[in-house]
Amino acid sequence: MMGAQKSIHAGNAKIDFNVDFTHKLCSALMFHPFGNGGGESPLSLVIGSLCIKHPNLFGKSEKLDFSWDKGLCDSNVLITYRKPRPEWLSQHALIIQHSVSPELGIHGIPVDNFSRSGSGGVNLSRFSVGVDLSEPASSNWSSKTNVKFEHVRPVDDDGRSISRDINGFPVTCSGGYQDSMVVLKQESRYAKANDRSFTRFSLQIEQGIPILSKWLIFNRFKFAASKGIKLGPAFLLTSLTGGSIVGDIAPYQAFSIGGQGSVRGYGEGAVGSGRSCIVANSELTLPLNPMLEGAVFLDCGSDLSSGRHVPGNPGLMHGKPGSGVGFGYGLRFKSHLGHVQVDYAINAFQQRTVYFGFSNLS
C-alpha cells in the first residue's frame, strides 16, 4: 500500500491521519483510460490523498473531517462538520469545499475519432459552503436536502481567470470572470435487493435561487435507474440515466456524454454536451472460474439535439456528434487483494480503446 497512517491523542480524542496514493491512483485508472488527457502521461492521473479525522472536536462527539486530494491537474479540499443527533432525527452536516479541475466534459477537444478528450484550456475553480440535511431512511427510500452557496471561476492552464474559451465563446453565464449562485438540491433514492436481483432509482432536483439579481436562476433535474438480475449463472445489469435543465445555464452546467461510466469507447464528453441527455447501458457478466468473469457491454447516449442551446455551443465547436454507441467486452478478476477490470471498447467510428484499472485495494 502506497500510504501511511498515524493516530495522535488530543485530550480524550484521537485524531487519525491518513496519507494514501494507491487508492486514488487505482480509482483514476479505473475511470479514465490511459491517454484520456490528450497525450498526457499516465502519471497525471496519480492523486495523493491526505485525510484527517477528529471524532470529538468540542468534547460532545462532534466530528470534523478534513480531506485534501492533489494531482498534477486536480485539487480538492473538503471540510465536513457533523453534530451528533438521535438516529430518528434528520442528520445535519456543514460542508466547505474548494476544487480546481480541468473541464474536459464540456470544453475537452475530442481526438482519435472521439476516443479521447484533450485539454481545451478551461479549468474550473469552485468554492462552496452549504448544509446537508439527511432524513432517516424509511423502508426502501432515503432522501437528502442540500442548500449551498457556490462561486465558480474559470481559469486557464496557468491559473489566470478567463471569461472565454479558445474559440472566443463565453465560459460563464454572466459573461464575466465568475458566476455565483445559491442552489437548493433535493435527492431521493430507492433501493431494493434480494438474492437474485436488485432495483435502484435516484432523482435529483436542483433549484437556483436568485437572492441577488446577478445570481443564476435555473431548475435542473437528473434521474438514474438500474436493474440487475441473475440469468442462470450470468448476471445482467441495465441502467438508464438522463436529465434536463431550464433557465440560466453556464456551459459547465451542461450534461456531458461519453467516457467511462457513460458511453465507453469515447473520451470524456466526446459524444455531446447538451441541456438534456439520456444514456443507456447494458452489461452481461458470466463467471469463467471462481475468480474470473467475462463481460460484454453495450452503451449508447444522446444530447437529444439540445447541444445548440448551450451558450457558445461547445459541442458543435468541437465537432461532437451529439449521439454515440459503444460496445465491447472485458474481464473482471477478483481476489482478496482487490479487483482488476479490463474493458475493450469500440465506438461508432471504429476507434478502439482499452480501459485497465484496479479497485478496492486495501
Side-chain angles (χ1 to χ4, degrees), residues 286-348:
L286 183 68
L288 304 178
N289 62 46
M291 300 180 66
L292 185 66
E293 293 180 338
V296 293
F297 58 85
L298 173 66
D299 303 332
C300 58
S302 171
D303 66 5
L304 303 175
S305 301
S306 64
R308 64 183 184 274
H309 300 302
V310 177
N313 199 346
L316 177 64
M317 291 300 101
H318 297 312
K320 299 179 182 180
S323 62
V325 176
F327 63 94
Y329 51 87
L331 293 173
R332 314 284 186 263
F333 178 78
K334 300 180 180 180
S335 73
H336 65 282
L337 294 177
H339 297 178
V340 178
Q341 176 173 329
V342 181
D343 282 335
Y344 180 82
I346 306 171
N347 66 22

Tab-separated table of all heavy atoms in Angstrom, residues 286-348:
chain	number	residue	atom	x	y	z
A	286	LEU	N	-20.456	-13.177	-17.012
A	286	LEU	CA	-20.569	-14.630	-16.894
A	286	LEU	C	-19.325	-15.153	-16.195
A	286	LEU	O	-18.197	-14.861	-16.616
A	286	LEU	CB	-20.690	-15.268	-18.278
A	286	LEU	CG	-20.883	-16.783	-18.311
A	286	LEU	CD1	-22.250	-17.157	-17.754
A	286	LEU	CD2	-20.733	-17.307	-19.742
A	287	PRO	N	-19.467	-15.896	-15.100
A	287	PRO	CA	-18.282	-16.416	-14.397
A	287	PRO	C	-17.547	-17.445	-15.239
A	287	PRO	O	-18.151	-18.366	-15.799
A	287	PRO	CB	-18.878	-17.031	-13.121
A	287	PRO	CG	-20.308	-17.328	-13.449
A	287	PRO	CD	-20.729	-16.272	-14.423
A	288	LEU	N	-16.226	-17.290	-15.345
A	288	LEU	CA	-15.384	-18.241	-16.059
A	288	LEU	C	-14.718	-19.217	-15.095
A	288	LEU	O	-14.450	-20.359	-15.456
A	288	LEU	CB	-14.326	-17.487	-16.872
A	288	LEU	CG	-14.873	-16.452	-17.871
A	288	LEU	CD1	-13.725	-15.734	-18.570
A	288	LEU	CD2	-15.796	-17.116	-18.892
A	289	ASN	N	-14.429	-18.730	-13.898
A	289	ASN	CA	-13.960	-19.574	-12.800
A	289	ASN	C	-14.236	-18.797	-11.514
A	289	ASN	O	-14.752	-17.673	-11.571
A	289	ASN	CB	-12.479	-19.963	-12.966
A	289	ASN	CG	-11.546	-18.760	-12.961
A	289	ASN	OD1	-11.664	-17.870	-12.116
A	289	ASN	ND2	-10.612	-18.721	-13.908
A	290	PRO	N	-13.942	-19.332	-10.333
A	290	PRO	CA	-14.306	-18.625	-9.093
A	290	PRO	C	-13.734	-17.218	-8.961
A	290	PRO	O	-14.260	-16.408	-8.190
A	290	PRO	CB	-13.755	-19.550	-7.998
A	290	PRO	CG	-13.795	-20.912	-8.617
A	290	PRO	CD	-13.450	-20.701	-10.053
A	291	MET	N	-12.661	-16.904	-9.689
A	291	MET	CA	-12.038	-15.585	-9.532
A	291	MET	C	-12.115	-14.723	-10.784
A	291	MET	O	-11.721	-13.555	-10.745
A	291	MET	CB	-10.561	-15.759	-9.135
A	291	MET	CG	-10.351	-16.496	-7.831
A	291	MET	SD	-8.610	-16.685	-7.401
A	291	MET	CE	-8.137	-14.995	-7.108
A	292	LEU	N	-12.632	-15.256	-11.886
A	292	LEU	CA	-12.599	-14.539	-13.159
A	292	LEU	C	-13.984	-14.515	-13.806
A	292	LEU	O	-14.671	-15.540	-13.852
A	292	LEU	CB	-11.596	-15.194	-14.103
A	292	LEU	CG	-11.333	-14.502	-15.442
A	292	LEU	CD1	-10.664	-13.151	-15.213
A	292	LEU	CD2	-10.459	-15.380	-16.333
A	293	GLU	N	-14.366	-13.326	-14.298
A	293	GLU	CA	-15.625	-13.162	-15.012
A	293	GLU	C	-15.368	-12.530	-16.369
A	293	GLU	O	-14.479	-11.686	-16.515
A	293	GLU	CB	-16.601	-12.270	-14.232
A	293	GLU	CG	-17.112	-12.855	-12.938
A	293	GLU	CD	-18.074	-11.916	-12.231
A	293	GLU	OE1	-18.016	-10.696	-12.510
A	293	GLU	OE2	-18.865	-12.382	-11.411
A	294	GLY	N	-16.142	-12.943	-17.348
A	294	GLY	CA	-16.133	-12.293	-18.647
A	294	GLY	C	-17.342	-11.393	-18.773
A	294	GLY	O	-18.384	-11.636	-18.145
A	295	ALA	N	-17.236	-10.332	-19.560
A	295	ALA	CA	-18.330	-9.376	-19.700
A	295	ALA	C	-18.449	-8.900	-21.132
A	295	ALA	O	-17.444	-8.772	-21.848
A	295	ALA	CB	-18.112	-8.180	-18.774
A	296	VAL	N	-19.682	-8.654	-21.564
A	296	VAL	CA	-19.954	-7.969	-22.819
A	296	VAL	C	-20.869	-6.808	-22.491
A	296	VAL	O	-21.705	-6.886	-21.589
A	296	VAL	CB	-20.603	-8.899	-23.873
A	296	VAL	CG1	-19.641	-9.959	-24.320
A	296	VAL	CG2	-21.884	-9.537	-23.334
A	297	PHE	N	-20.707	-5.676	-23.200
A	297	PHE	CA	-21.490	-4.495	-22.860
A	297	PHE	C	-21.870	-3.705	-24.102
A	297	PHE	O	-21.236	-3.801	-25.161
A	297	PHE	CB	-20.727	-3.594	-21.884
A	297	PHE	CG	-19.386	-3.129	-22.377
A	297	PHE	CD1	-19.262	-2.008	-23.188
A	297	PHE	CD2	-18.233	-3.811	-22.024
A	297	PHE	CE1	-18.034	-1.568	-23.636
A	297	PHE	CE2	-16.985	-3.386	-22.467
A	297	PHE	CZ	-16.889	-2.265	-23.286
A	298	LEU	N	-22.914	-2.916	-23.957
A	298	LEU	CA	-23.395	-2.012	-24.995
A	298	LEU	C	-23.845	-0.722	-24.329
A	298	LEU	O	-24.665	-0.741	-23.406
A	298	LEU	CB	-24.563	-2.634	-25.765
A	298	LEU	CG	-25.274	-1.742	-26.780
A	298	LEU	CD1	-24.328	-1.390	-27.933
A	298	LEU	CD2	-26.535	-2.408	-27.309
A	299	ASP	N	-23.283	0.410	-24.753
A	299	ASP	CA	-23.627	1.724	-24.219
A	299	ASP	C	-24.117	2.622	-25.353
A	299	ASP	O	-23.609	2.537	-26.483
A	299	ASP	CB	-22.411	2.404	-23.572
A	299	ASP	CG	-21.789	1.577	-22.465
A	299	ASP	OD1	-22.506	0.789	-21.827
A	299	ASP	OD2	-20.575	1.725	-22.232
A	300	CYS	N	-25.066	3.474	-25.076
A	300	CYS	CA	-25.492	4.466	-26.060
A	300	CYS	C	-25.980	5.711	-25.327
A	300	CYS	O	-26.437	5.641	-24.188
A	300	CYS	CB	-26.581	3.926	-26.991
A	300	CYS	SG	-28.066	3.341	-26.170
A	301	GLY	N	-25.848	6.866	-25.992
A	301	GLY	CA	-26.251	8.117	-25.370
A	301	GLY	C	-26.504	9.194	-26.397
A	301	GLY	O	-26.024	9.122	-27.530
A	302	SER	N	-27.274	10.223	-25.996
A	302	SER	CA	-27.620	11.318	-26.897
A	302	SER	C	-27.853	12.592	-26.098
A	302	SER	O	-28.279	12.547	-24.932
A	302	SER	CB	-28.885	10.966	-27.690
A	302	SER	OG	-29.370	12.080	-28.422
A	303	ASP	N	-27.557	13.729	-26.731
A	303	ASP	CA	-27.877	15.020	-26.107
A	303	ASP	C	-29.260	15.508	-26.518
A	303	ASP	O	-29.635	16.649	-26.213
A	303	ASP	CB	-26.817	16.071	-26.436
A	303	ASP	CG	-26.780	16.427	-27.926
A	303	ASP	OD1	-27.625	15.937	-28.700
A	303	ASP	OD2	-25.894	17.208	-28.326
A	304	LEU	N	-30.026	14.662	-27.216
A	304	LEU	CA	-31.406	14.968	-27.608
A	304	LEU	C	-31.496	16.274	-28.394
A	304	LEU	O	-32.449	17.047	-28.240
A	304	LEU	CB	-32.313	15.012	-26.367
A	304	LEU	CG	-32.319	13.721	-25.522
A	304	LEU	CD1	-33.155	13.916	-24.260
A	304	LEU	CD2	-32.856	12.546	-26.335
A	305	SER	N	-30.476	16.515	-29.211
A	305	SER	CA	-30.418	17.721	-30.063
A	305	SER	C	-30.480	19.017	-29.267
A	305	SER	O	-30.943	20.047	-29.778
A	305	SER	CB	-31.555	17.696	-31.102
A	305	SER	OG	-31.464	16.550	-31.934
A	306	SER	N	-29.993	18.969	-28.020
A	306	SER	CA	-30.049	20.159	-27.164
A	306	SER	C	-28.708	20.872	-27.074
A	306	SER	O	-28.599	21.878	-26.360
A	306	SER	CB	-30.514	19.769	-25.756
A	306	SER	OG	-29.571	18.905	-25.131
A	307	GLY	N	-27.676	20.376	-27.785
A	307	GLY	CA	-26.358	20.995	-27.697
A	307	GLY	C	-26.341	22.435	-28.161
A	307	GLY	O	-25.590	23.255	-27.634
A	308	ARG	N	-27.178	22.752	-29.136
A	308	ARG	CA	-27.189	24.126	-29.667
A	308	ARG	C	-27.754	25.128	-28.676
A	308	ARG	O	-27.627	26.349	-28.875
A	308	ARG	CB	-27.990	24.167	-30.972
A	308	ARG	CG	-29.468	23.841	-30.815
A	308	ARG	CD	-30.177	23.841	-32.179
A	308	ARG	NE	-31.611	23.620	-32.072
A	308	ARG	CZ	-32.179	22.425	-32.029
A	308	ARG	NH1	-31.418	21.334	-32.063
A	308	ARG	NH2	-33.482	22.302	-31.943
A	309	HIS	N	-28.391	24.650	-27.613
A	309	HIS	CA	-28.965	25.554	-26.615
A	309	HIS	C	-28.015	25.836	-25.456
A	309	HIS	O	-28.379	26.536	-24.510
A	309	HIS	CB	-30.272	24.966	-26.074
A	309	HIS	CG	-31.319	24.754	-27.131
A	309	HIS	ND1	-31.799	25.776	-27.920
A	309	HIS	CD2	-31.966	23.624	-27.533
A	309	HIS	CE1	-32.709	25.299	-28.750
A	309	HIS	NE2	-32.828	23.997	-28.551
A	310	VAL	N	-26.796	25.281	-25.522
A	310	VAL	CA	-25.763	25.588	-24.529
A	310	VAL	C	-24.997	26.818	-25.008
A	310	VAL	O	-24.618	26.888	-26.181
A	310	VAL	CB	-24.805	24.392	-24.359
A	310	VAL	CG1	-23.687	24.730	-23.378
A	310	VAL	CG2	-25.569	23.163	-23.890
A	311	PRO	N	-24.783	27.830	-24.159
A	311	PRO	CA	-24.068	29.032	-24.599
A	311	PRO	C	-22.737	28.701	-25.265
A	311	PRO	O	-21.927	27.940	-24.732
A	311	PRO	CB	-23.856	29.806	-23.288
A	311	PRO	CG	-24.988	29.370	-22.413
A	311	PRO	CD	-25.225	27.935	-22.751
A	312	GLY	N	-22.526	29.257	-26.452
A	312	GLY	CA	-21.303	29.007	-27.204
A	312	GLY	C	-21.318	27.711	-27.986
A	312	GLY	O	-20.431	27.469	-28.794
A	313	ASN	N	-22.325	26.868	-27.739
A	313	ASN	CA	-22.463	25.582	-28.423
A	313	ASN	C	-21.122	24.840	-28.499
A	313	ASN	O	-20.604	24.552	-29.591
A	313	ASN	CB	-23.019	25.786	-29.836
A	313	ASN	CG	-23.606	24.506	-30.421
A	313	ASN	OD1	-23.379	23.418	-29.900
A	313	ASN	ND2	-24.340	24.639	-31.504
A	314	PRO	N	-20.517	24.509	-27.330
A	314	PRO	CA	-19.210	23.855	-27.355
A	314	PRO	C	-19.233	22.497	-28.053
A	314	PRO	O	-18.216	22.074	-28.610
A	314	PRO	CB	-18.861	23.702	-25.868
A	314	PRO	CG	-20.165	23.800	-25.147
A	314	PRO	CD	-21.008	24.728	-25.960
A	315	GLY	N	-20.375	21.814	-28.050
A	315	GLY	CA	-20.458	20.541	-28.750
A	315	GLY	C	-20.225	20.695	-30.242
A	315	GLY	O	-19.450	19.954	-30.856
A	316	LEU	N	-20.885	21.689	-30.853
A	316	LEU	CA	-20.713	21.939	-32.291
A	316	LEU	C	-19.309	22.459	-32.577
A	316	LEU	O	-18.670	22.063	-33.564
A	316	LEU	CB	-21.755	22.941	-32.773
A	316	LEU	CG	-21.645	23.361	-34.243
A	316	LEU	CD1	-21.872	22.166	-35.155
A	316	LEU	CD2	-22.653	24.480	-34.555
A	317	MET	N	-18.784	23.342	-31.719
A	317	MET	CA	-17.458	23.912	-31.948
A	317	MET	C	-16.375	22.837	-31.988
A	317	MET	O	-15.400	22.954	-32.716
A	317	MET	CB	-17.138	24.935	-30.845
A	317	MET	CG	-17.972	26.205	-30.877
A	317	MET	SD	-17.788	27.137	-32.429
A	317	MET	CE	-19.303	26.656	-33.288
A	318	HIS	N	-16.565	21.773	-31.200
A	318	HIS	CA	-15.576	20.699	-31.160
A	318	HIS	C	-15.968	19.521	-32.042
A	318	HIS	O	-15.292	18.478	-32.014
A	318	HIS	CB	-15.365	20.227	-29.721
A	318	HIS	CG	-14.810	21.279	-28.807
A	318	HIS	ND1	-13.719	22.056	-29.144
A	318	HIS	CD2	-15.183	21.702	-27.575
A	318	HIS	CE1	-13.439	22.891	-28.160
A	318	HIS	NE2	-14.319	22.701	-27.196
A	319	GLY	N	-17.038	19.670	-32.817
A	319	GLY	CA	-17.424	18.628	-33.756
A	319	GLY	C	-17.995	17.375	-33.124
A	319	GLY	O	-17.951	16.293	-33.718
A	320	LYS	N	-18.569	17.488	-31.914
A	320	LYS	CA	-19.127	16.313	-31.260
A	320	LYS	C	-20.378	15.846	-32.018
A	320	LYS	O	-21.195	16.671	-32.438
A	320	LYS	CB	-19.471	16.630	-29.810
A	320	LYS	CG	-18.269	17.041	-28.976
A	320	LYS	CD	-18.655	17.361	-27.544
A	320	LYS	CE	-17.453	17.830	-26.727
A	320	LYS	NZ	-17.812	18.141	-25.330
A	321	PRO	N	-20.558	14.518	-32.174
A	321	PRO	CA	-21.678	14.027	-32.974
A	321	PRO	C	-23.043	14.222	-32.341
A	321	PRO	O	-24.058	14.213	-33.042
A	321	PRO	CB	-21.355	12.537	-33.158
A	321	PRO	CG	-20.472	12.195	-31.999
A	321	PRO	CD	-19.667	13.438	-31.724
A	322	GLY	N	-23.126	14.353	-31.026
A	322	GLY	CA	-24.420	14.524	-30.358
A	322	GLY	C	-25.048	13.225	-29.919
A	322	GLY	O	-25.894	13.211	-29.021
A	323	SER	N	-24.668	12.116	-30.529
A	323	SER	CA	-25.135	10.797	-30.112
A	323	SER	C	-24.044	9.787	-30.429
A	323	SER	O	-23.216	10.011	-31.323
A	323	SER	CB	-26.442	10.416	-30.819
A	323	SER	OG	-26.250	10.346	-32.223
A	324	GLY	N	-24.018	8.697	-29.706
A	324	GLY	CA	-22.973	7.713	-29.922
A	324	GLY	C	-23.314	6.363	-29.342
A	324	GLY	O	-24.150	6.248	-28.432
A	325	VAL	N	-22.662	5.343	-29.882
A	325	VAL	CA	-22.836	3.968	-29.427
A	325	VAL	C	-21.461	3.351	-29.223
A	325	VAL	O	-20.564	3.508	-30.064
A	325	VAL	CB	-23.633	3.125	-30.450
A	325	VAL	CG1	-23.721	1.670	-29.988
A	325	VAL	CG2	-25.024	3.698	-30.653
A	326	GLY	N	-21.279	2.671	-28.127
A	326	GLY	CA	-20.048	1.945	-27.857
A	326	GLY	C	-20.367	0.534	-27.390
A	326	GLY	O	-21.349	0.316	-26.680
A	327	PHE	N	-19.568	-0.423	-27.809
A	327	PHE	CA	-19.776	-1.801	-27.375
A	327	PHE	C	-18.422	-2.469	-27.229
A	327	PHE	O	-17.400	-1.981	-27.729
A	327	PHE	CB	-20.651	-2.572	-28.379
A	327	PHE	CG	-20.034	-2.715	-29.746
A	327	PHE	CD1	-19.291	-3.836	-30.088
A	327	PHE	CD2	-20.190	-1.715	-30.700
A	327	PHE	CE1	-18.721	-3.958	-31.347
A	327	PHE	CE2	-19.628	-1.826	-31.962
A	327	PHE	CZ	-18.887	-2.954	-32.284
A	328	GLY	N	-18.417	-3.594	-26.531
A	328	GLY	CA	-17.154	-4.293	-26.338
A	328	GLY	C	-17.275	-5.427	-25.349
A	328	GLY	O	-18.376	-5.883	-25.017
A	329	TYR	N	-16.126	-5.858	-24.859
A	329	TYR	CA	-16.085	-6.972	-23.921
A	329	TYR	C	-14.953	-6.731	-22.940
A	329	TYR	O	-14.101	-5.855	-23.141
A	329	TYR	CB	-15.894	-8.302	-24.660
A	329	TYR	CG	-14.736	-8.321	-25.627
A	329	TYR	CD1	-13.445	-8.661	-25.209
A	329	TYR	CD2	-14.925	-7.990	-26.964
A	329	TYR	CE1	-12.383	-8.686	-26.087
A	329	TYR	CE2	-13.865	-8.013	-27.862
A	329	TYR	CZ	-12.596	-8.356	-27.414
A	329	TYR	OH	-11.550	-8.371	-28.291
A	330	GLY	N	-14.947	-7.516	-21.879
A	330	GLY	CA	-13.932	-7.302	-20.858
A	330	GLY	C	-13.802	-8.468	-19.920
A	330	GLY	O	-14.510	-9.481	-20.019
A	331	LEU	N	-12.870	-8.333	-18.968
A	331	LEU	CA	-12.613	-9.334	-17.949
A	331	LEU	C	-12.667	-8.675	-16.580
A	331	LEU	O	-12.271	-7.510	-16.422
A	331	LEU	CB	-11.241	-9.990	-18.153
A	331	LEU	CG	-11.057	-10.857	-19.404
A	331	LEU	CD1	-9.596	-11.277	-19.532
A	331	LEU	CD2	-11.965	-12.079	-19.364
A	332	ARG	N	-13.148	-9.415	-15.584
A	332	ARG	CA	-13.199	-8.954	-14.206
A	332	ARG	C	-12.500	-10.005	-13.342
A	332	ARG	O	-12.948	-11.144	-13.261
A	332	ARG	CB	-14.646	-8.795	-13.721
A	332	ARG	CG	-15.566	-8.063	-14.700
A	332	ARG	CD	-15.308	-6.581	-14.673
A	332	ARG	NE	-16.276	-5.873	-15.508
A	332	ARG	CZ	-16.051	-5.499	-16.750
A	332	ARG	NH1	-14.870	-5.783	-17.316
A	332	ARG	NH2	-16.953	-4.856	-17.450
A	333	PHE	N	-11.384	-9.624	-12.739
A	333	PHE	CA	-10.624	-10.541	-11.889
A	333	PHE	C	-10.755	-10.091	-10.443
A	333	PHE	O	-10.452	-8.939	-10.112
A	333	PHE	CB	-9.155	-10.570	-12.307
A	333	PHE	CG	-8.300	-11.457	-11.453
A	333	PHE	CD1	-8.311	-12.838	-11.622
A	333	PHE	CD2	-7.478	-10.920	-10.466
A	333	PHE	CE1	-7.527	-13.664	-10.822
A	333	PHE	CE2	-6.691	-11.735	-9.677
A	333	PHE	CZ	-6.721	-13.121	-9.849
A	334	LYS	N	-11.222	-10.991	-9.578
A	334	LYS	CA	-11.453	-10.658	-8.178
A	334	LYS	C	-10.555	-11.505	-7.292
A	334	LYS	O	-10.455	-12.721	-7.466
A	334	LYS	CB	-12.918	-10.902	-7.801
A	334	LYS	CG	-13.909	-10.081	-8.610
A	334	LYS	CD	-15.336	-10.373	-8.203
A	334	LYS	CE	-16.314	-9.551	-9.019
A	334	LYS	NZ	-17.728	-9.813	-8.639
A	335	SER	N	-9.903	-10.834	-6.349
A	335	SER	CA	-9.070	-11.545	-5.380
A	335	SER	C	-9.144	-10.822	-4.050
A	335	SER	O	-9.753	-9.749	-3.936
A	335	SER	CB	-7.620	-11.611	-5.868
A	335	SER	OG	-6.996	-10.340	-5.755
A	336	HIS	N	-8.505	-11.400	-3.034
A	336	HIS	CA	-8.520	-10.759	-1.716
A	336	HIS	C	-7.705	-9.472	-1.705
A	336	HIS	O	-7.852	-8.643	-0.802
A	336	HIS	CB	-7.977	-11.731	-0.657
A	336	HIS	CG	-6.539	-12.088	-0.841
A	336	HIS	ND1	-6.111	-13.016	-1.788
A	336	HIS	CD2	-5.412	-11.647	-0.221
A	336	HIS	CE1	-4.799	-13.130	-1.722
A	336	HIS	NE2	-4.337	-12.312	-0.790
A	337	LEU	N	-6.839	-9.262	-2.703
A	337	LEU	CA	-6.047	-8.034	-2.774
A	337	LEU	C	-6.809	-6.888	-3.436
A	337	LEU	O	-6.499	-5.722	-3.231
A	337	LEU	CB	-4.750	-8.289	-3.551
A	337	LEU	CG	-3.751	-9.245	-2.909
A	337	LEU	CD1	-2.564	-9.450	-3.830
A	337	LEU	CD2	-3.314	-8.710	-1.551
A	338	GLY	N	-7.810	-7.224	-4.256
A	338	GLY	CA	-8.561	-6.188	-4.945
A	338	GLY	C	-9.147	-6.722	-6.231
A	338	GLY	O	-9.083	-7.928	-6.524
A	339	HIS	N	-9.739	-5.835	-7.005
A	339	HIS	CA	-10.389	-6.193	-8.261
A	339	HIS	C	-9.633	-5.561	-9.430
A	339	HIS	O	-9.242	-4.393	-9.364
A	339	HIS	CB	-11.839	-5.708	-8.275
A	339	HIS	CG	-12.695	-6.346	-7.234
A	339	HIS	ND1	-14.023	-6.016	-7.053
A	339	HIS	CD2	-12.414	-7.300	-6.307
A	339	HIS	CE1	-14.522	-6.741	-6.073
A	339	HIS	NE2	-13.563	-7.519	-5.591
A	340	VAL	N	-9.453	-6.338	-10.473
A	340	VAL	CA	-8.847	-5.851	-11.708
A	340	VAL	C	-9.904	-5.894	-12.798
A	340	VAL	O	-10.619	-6.889	-12.941
A	340	VAL	CB	-7.629	-6.698	-12.122
A	340	VAL	CG1	-7.049	-6.185	-13.436
A	340	VAL	CG2	-6.573	-6.685	-11.023
A	341	GLN	N	-10.025	-4.805	-13.545
A	341	GLN	CA	-11.017	-4.727	-14.614
A	341	GLN	C	-10.348	-4.288	-15.911
A	341	GLN	O	-9.592	-3.323	-15.933
A	341	GLN	CB	-12.130	-3.741	-14.257
A	341	GLN	CG	-13.153	-3.541	-15.362
A	341	GLN	CD	-14.329	-2.686	-14.909
A	341	GLN	OE1	-14.696	-2.706	-13.737
A	341	GLN	NE2	-14.917	-1.933	-15.819
A	342	VAL	N	-10.610	-5.020	-16.982
A	342	VAL	CA	-10.113	-4.680	-18.309
A	342	VAL	C	-11.300	-4.640	-19.261
A	342	VAL	O	-12.066	-5.603	-19.340
A	342	VAL	CB	-9.070	-5.702	-18.809
A	342	VAL	CG1	-8.567	-5.290	-20.195
A	342	VAL	CG2	-7.906	-5.815	-17.838
A	343	ASP	N	-11.483	-3.516	-19.954
A	343	ASP	CA	-12.552	-3.367	-20.941
A	343	ASP	C	-11.959	-2.982	-22.286
A	343	ASP	O	-11.062	-2.121	-22.360
A	343	ASP	CB	-13.554	-2.286	-20.514
A	343	ASP	CG	-14.516	-2.769	-19.454
A	343	ASP	OD1	-14.742	-3.997	-19.388
A	343	ASP	OD2	-15.038	-1.939	-18.689
A	344	TYR	N	-12.456	-3.593	-23.325
A	344	TYR	CA	-12.056	-3.291	-24.697
A	344	TYR	C	-13.297	-2.755	-25.402
A	344	TYR	O	-14.277	-3.486	-25.598
A	344	TYR	CB	-11.529	-4.544	-25.380
A	344	TYR	CG	-11.083	-4.358	-26.822
A	344	TYR	CD1	-9.821	-3.856	-27.115
A	344	TYR	CD2	-11.922	-4.691	-27.877
A	344	TYR	CE1	-9.401	-3.694	-28.430
A	344	TYR	CE2	-11.507	-4.538	-29.195
A	344	TYR	CZ	-10.253	-4.034	-29.469
A	344	TYR	OH	-9.854	-3.874	-30.774
A	345	ALA	N	-13.292	-1.470	-25.754
A	345	ALA	CA	-14.483	-0.812	-26.289
A	345	ALA	C	-14.245	-0.305	-27.696
A	345	ALA	O	-13.140	0.124	-28.044
A	345	ALA	CB	-14.899	0.354	-25.382
A	346	ILE	N	-15.293	-0.347	-28.518
A	346	ILE	CA	-15.268	0.142	-29.896
A	346	ILE	C	-16.401	1.146	-30.059
A	346	ILE	O	-17.543	0.865	-29.682
A	346	ILE	CB	-15.445	-1.016	-30.907
A	346	ILE	CG1	-14.413	-2.112	-30.664
A	346	ILE	CG2	-15.355	-0.499	-32.335
A	346	ILE	CD1	-14.651	-3.366	-31.474
A	347	ASN	N	-16.082	2.326	-30.575
A	347	ASN	CA	-17.138	3.321	-30.771
A	347	ASN	C	-17.670	3.277	-32.205
A	347	ASN	O	-17.256	2.453	-33.021
A	347	ASN	CB	-16.658	4.719	-30.383
A	347	ASN	CG	-15.554	5.247	-31.283
A	347	ASN	OD1	-15.377	4.816	-32.423
A	347	ASN	ND2	-14.788	6.211	-30.764
A	348	ALA	N	-18.616	4.181	-32.503
A	348	ALA	CA	-19.273	4.174	-33.809
A	348	ALA	C	-18.328	4.532	-34.949
A	348	ALA	O	-18.671	4.317	-36.123
A	348	ALA	CB	-20.461	5.140	-33.796
